[in-house]
Amino acid sequence: MLQPFLASADDDGDRGGDGDAGLATKTRTRTKRPPMYKVMLLNDDYTPMEFVVHILERFFGMTHAQAFEIMLTVHKKGLAVVGVYSFEVAETKVGQVMDFARRHQHPLQCTMEKE
């Protein structure tokens, strides 16, 4: 006579007969955070301060006051970190800033480095 299969509460569904043994060997994998990259603006003697403020507002979402402070840091210290992003986002921001500066005939330099 055939007996129907009844799943018990401790059955892990593998039907292999070892019950909870499969649970002990499972490991949790943790996703590692992607490396982050600093995006930096470099000072030059030709790009107008107003243009740098515009760049910071447009591409980095800063308020006028925040952009002005960062622009002064670039001007006084030679460079400033304007944001920290994943590789793809940092690369895109650098490209956008460089393209915009070139289209407006400014030698502004924007770069990125691993944090």
Side-chain angles (χ1 to χ4, degrees):
M1 180 164 159
L2 294 174
Q3 293 182 349
F5 175 78
L6 296 174
S8 64
D10 63 5
D11 186 44
D12 64 359
D14 67 353
R15 315 252 192 296
D18 38 45
D20 289 340
L23 295 177
T25 60
K26 290 184 181 177
T27 57
R28 285 187 119 180
T29 54
R30 282 200 134 149
T31 318
K32 196 170 129 183
R33 284 190 157 290
M36 300 301 279
Y37 291 79
K38 298 183 287 189
V39 175
M40 299 169 290
L41 285 182
L42 285 72
N43 189 40
D44 64 72
D45 294 331
Y46 304 101
T47 305
M49 292 179 176
E50 297 81 22
F51 185 78
V52 175
V53 169
H54 179 71
I55 289 276
L56 293 168
E57 291 171 343
R58 179 173 179 157
F59 296 107
F60 298 96
M62 295 183 186
T63 65
H64 186 75
Q66 291 169 325
F68 191 81
E69 285 297 315
I70 295 288
M71 176 276 297
L72 285 178
T73 302
V74 172
H75 182 68
K76 291 176 183 175
K77 295 188 176 183
L79 84 117
V81 174
V82 296
V84 179
Y85 306 97
S86 66
F87 178 81
E88 292 80 9
V89 174
E91 187 177 49
T92 299
K93 298 252 183 216
V94 168
Q96 289 173 328
V97 169
M98 296 294 288
D99 289 344
F100 193 76
R102 298 297 162 265
R103 282 198 314 263
H104 290 85
Q105 300 177 343
H106 294 298
L108 182 66
Q109 292 294 306
C110 184
T111 187
M112 63 188 259
E113 73 178 37
K114 198 170 188 176
E115 192 173 43

